[in-house]
């Protein structure tokens, strides 16, 4: 089936996600991502959660707070890595070296 899906024009990651959906049936995006072994699917969930928390508290948001409050199903270290990527892409800002992140105007528009 994998080969047929590739011949149909799906990428390797799309094939993995499709097969995971078939195996899992009704499932959360995070469960499908784990089964498909695709890790970047939670980036948007991290961004949304960070913006929600920032709107609520008006303070820089750290990875441990996101993991604890929003139960993202990934480690704080993974959240930090994604937050660093989102910062490089211009969606987050880090007010101080050891602080959490805040959403940029670009992130707020995306939200």
């Amino acid at each position: 089936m994998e080969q047929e899906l590739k011949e149909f024009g799906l990428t390797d990651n799309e094939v993995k996600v499709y097969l995971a959906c078939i195996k899992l049936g009704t499932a959360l995006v995070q469960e499908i991502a784990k089964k498909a072994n695709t890790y970047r699917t939670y980036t948007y969930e991290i961004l949304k959660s960070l913006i929600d928390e920032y709107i609520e508290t008006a303070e820089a948001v750290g990875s441990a707070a996101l993991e604890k409050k929003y139960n993202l199903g990934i480690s704080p270290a993974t959240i930090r890595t994604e937050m660093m990527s989102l910062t490089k892409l211009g969606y987050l800002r880090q007010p101080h070296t050891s602080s959490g992140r805040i959403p940029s105007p670009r992130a707020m528009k995306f939200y």
Side-chain angles (χ1 to χ4, degrees):
M1 178 178 220
E2 202 171 316
Q3 187 59 37
E4 289 84 5
L5 292 169
K6 287 179 182 179
E7 289 173 7
F8 189 67
L10 273 62
T11 66
D12 288 341
N13 279 342
E14 290 169 335
V15 169
K16 289 177 186 178
V17 171
Y18 184 82
L19 294 174
C21 287
I22 291 172
K23 289 177 185 174
L24 292 172
T26 303
L28 297 174
V29 171
Q30 294 159 334
E31 294 169 335
I32 293 168
K34 280 184 180 179
K35 185 72 175 176
N37 203 23
T38 57
Y39 301 105
R40 304 286 298 189
T41 58
Y42 43 69
T43 302
Y44 299 110
E45 190 64 32
I46 291 170
L47 183 61
K48 181 187 179 312
S49 300
L50 188 139
I51 293 171
D52 288 343
E53 185 68 12
Y54 181 75
I55 289 170
E56 187 177 313
T57 65
E59 295 180 359
V61 181
S63 57
L66 286 179
E67 193 276 328
K68 185 176 181 180
K69 184 172 182 179
Y70 293 93
N71 193 24
L72 299 172
I74 51 178
S75 71
T78 302
I79 295 171
R80 279 191 299 278
T81 300
E82 291 302 311
M83 288 169 67
M84 187 171 40
S85 296
L86 287 166
T87 301
K88 287 179 183 177
L89 291 170
Y91 287 97
L92 300 177
R93 291 187 295 183
Q94 188 175 20
H96 306 287
T97 303
S98 61
S99 70
R101 305 294 202 289
I102 61 172
S104 69
R106 181 178 187 182
M108 297 304 274
K109 287 179 187 175
F110 180 78
Y111 180 74

